[in-house]
Amino acid sequence: MSQESRDDITRLLHDWAGGDQAALARLVEAVYPELRRIAARQFRGERPGHTLQPTALINEAYLRLARQHPGKEWQDRTHFFAVAARVVRAVLVDHARARQAVKRGSGDASVELTLVNASVAPTPVDVLDLDTALQALEAMDPDQVRIVELRYFAGLSIDETAEAIGTSPSSVMRGWLTAKTYIRRHLDGDIARL
Amino acid sequence: MNSEQWARVTALFHEACACPPAERERWLANHCSDPAIHGEVEAMLRAYETNPEFMEQPVAELPRDVESLLGVREIAVGQRIGAFDLVSELGRGGMGEVFAAVRADGHYDQQVALKLVRAGYATAGVVERFRAER
């Protein structure tokens, strides 16, 4: 990681801890190239067909970041789950795009992140469509997007999600039901008309 | 739809969901006079009722033991792991640590190097390499 991106990450981490929610997205963007390098390095040493657990990948990436940018911001559950859930979303979207590119014959199969393993369930929802729906929801209610990420991409319960974002379980429940129903409509092509 | 309108939809939708399904429509008519918001909440209720279990199964699970993952609760010299007391740290990496350890259950004297894999790293491949190293 270059010195420049290292300074960037420290600054973003600071902004985020200071309450700038948009800094989270930029933080994950800044972190993601490093994550891909870690994945590629781990794949190189493996036998063909060997798969990498995304959980292990995320842990590895997170630990590196926490060590490169020491600070108490990293050392709590709230920040871990917020970053990790967003990274899982990015990894799955990346994976789906790569798979699509390989199918079309234009992709480089070697960059594909392999996610086939027991800790990732086959998704009944198209990840790319889901991502589009989340981007649309982000403009109306970023908190509802955080809730979906924590629930769907990290597997947190309603209570755990409430703890992670510092709100009440009932408010998480309200946001969750609304957000997932909005996503459902988005996937069905029944998008907000206003 | 802007943030304020969406906040209104969220509140109405959630309250309507709390009503028995047969009464939702009437409740909504009594509590919302804006036709645009009303239509939006109605569409939400229809979508929700087709499959309330939608997305309830997460696509990925992350480990909950964040403290050990982040090294807040480190394994340290002096601690006992199984039948062994950790004597000194020989090395550490992203996947875990290696300690010099001595047998402490009194059955016999034995010095070992104890390699510990961090939570979330015990994939089939790692476990296999572990067995091969032994």
Side-chain angles (χ1 to χ4, degrees), chain A residues 137-158:
Chain A
L137 184 58
E138 182 86 43
M140 299 191 296
D141 197 327
D143 285 349
Q144 288 184 4
V145 176
R146 297 296 85 71
I147 292 171
V148 172
E149 286 173 342
L150 292 167
R151 297 269 296 141
Y152 194 66
F153 294 111
L156 265 56
S157 69
I158 294 287

Side-chain angles (χ1 to χ4, degrees), chain B residues 37-56:
Chain B
I37 300 276
H38 186 279
E40 190 69 13
V41 178
E42 265 189 331
M44 291 287 287
L45 287 170
R46 273 197 306 275
Y48 177 68
E49 282 159 10
T50 39
N51 181 14
E53 287 305 303
F54 176 68
M55 281 181 76
E56 287 297 330

Side-chain angles (χ1 to χ4, degrees), chain A residues 8-193:
Chain A
D8 266 359
I9 288 171
T10 305
R11 186 174 46 75
L12 288 170
L13 198 56
H14 186 81
D15 291 351
W16 184 35
D20 176 5
Q21 285 304 307
L24 173 60
R26 296 201 300 276
L27 187 60
V28 172
E29 250 168 60
V31 164
Y32 203 65
E34 174 72 2
L35 186 75
R36 299 213 62 172
R37 273 195 294 275
I38 294 167
R41 242 190 332 266
Q42 294 196 0
F43 282 131
R44 264 200 295 280
E46 301 287 356
R47 293 184 310 281
H50 194 90
T51 58
L52 179 73
Q53 281 201 335
T55 305
L57 175 63
I58 287 148
N59 292 355
E60 169 90 22
Y62 196 82
L63 273 174
R64 269 162 194 268
L65 284 166
R67 284 188 185 139
Q68 283 164 0
H69 313 277
K72 65 175 171 37
E73 290 91 349
W74 294 105
Q75 308 268 323
D76 78 46
R77 303 175 64 82
T78 304
H79 289 79
F80 171 76
F81 283 120
V83 171
R86 179 64 70 90
V87 168
V88 172
R89 175 179 164 191
V91 167
L92 290 173
V93 167
D94 203 22
H95 177 63
R97 285 215 185 97
R99 206 167 38 192
Q100 220 174 42
V102 169
K103 263 189 202 155
R104 282 199 307 266
S106 59
D108 174 5
S110 69
V111 302
E112 185 176 358
L113 286 173
T114 311
L115 289 167
V116 186
N117 83 87
S119 70
V120 173
T123 166
V125 176
D126 184 290
V127 174
L128 296 179
D129 288 345
L130 171 59
D131 193 60
T132 307
L134 287 175
Q135 284 172 30
L137 184 58
E138 182 86 43
M140 299 191 296
D141 197 327
D143 285 349
Q144 288 184 4
V145 176
R146 297 296 85 71
I147 292 171
V148 172
E149 286 173 342
L150 292 167
R151 297 269 296 141
Y152 194 66
F153 294 111
L156 265 56
S157 69
I158 294 287
D159 286 353
E160 287 169 331
T161 305
E163 197 197 317
I165 63 177
T167 184
S168 67
S170 63
S171 146
V172 168
M173 195 60 182
R174 187 165 53 231
W176 168 243
L177 285 184
T178 308
K180 72 171 195 162
T181 304
Y182 173 79
I183 291 163
R184 177 64 197 250
R185 291 178 59 206
H186 215 280
L187 299 183
D188 291 346
D190 175 26
I191 309 158
R193 294 172 302 274

Side-chain angles (χ1 to χ4, degrees), chain B residues 1-2 4-5 13 19 26 66 69 82-83 86-88 94 98 105 107 111 114-115 125 127:
Chain B
M1 177 153 283
N2 65 34
E4 288 75 36
Q5 290 170 313
F13 168 64
C19 299
R26 203 178 38 164
V66 176
L69 182 73
L86 303 183
V87 175
S88 64
V98 186
D105 61 4
H107 288 314
Q111 287 197 339
L114 208 58
K115 192 169 176 180
V127 171

Side-chain angles (χ1 to χ4, degrees), chain B residues 3-35:
Chain B
S3 304
E4 288 75 36
Q5 290 170 313
W6 187 248
R8 184 94 185 104
V9 169
T10 298
L12 287 167
F13 168 64
H14 192 252
E15 281 190 56
C17 277
C19 299
E23 289 165 33
R24 283 172 188 167
E25 211 169 300
R26 203 178 38 164
W27 182 91
L28 187 59
N30 289 335
H31 289 83
C32 175
S33 52
D34 181 331

Side-chain angles (χ1 to χ4, degrees), chain B residues 58-127:
Chain B
V59 73
E61 295 264 5
L62 291 176
R64 296 301 196 277
D65 191 8
V66 176
E67 288 75 12
S68 80
L69 182 73
L70 298 184
V72 178
R73 199 174 61 238
E74 287 283 358
I75 291 167
V77 165
Q79 206 171 320
R80 178 171 296 194
I81 306 275
F84 297 95
D85 278 341
L86 303 183
V87 175
S88 64
E89 187 179 306
L90 299 176
R92 73 174 44 227
M95 297 219 307
E97 294 95 21
V98 186
F99 288 94
V102 291
R103 187 128 197 146
D105 61 4
H107 288 314
Y108 50 91
D109 290 337
Q110 186 187 21
Q111 287 197 339
V112 296
L114 208 58
K115 192 169 176 180
L116 303 168
V117 180
R118 212 176 279 277
Y121 284 83
T123 62
V126 169
V127 171

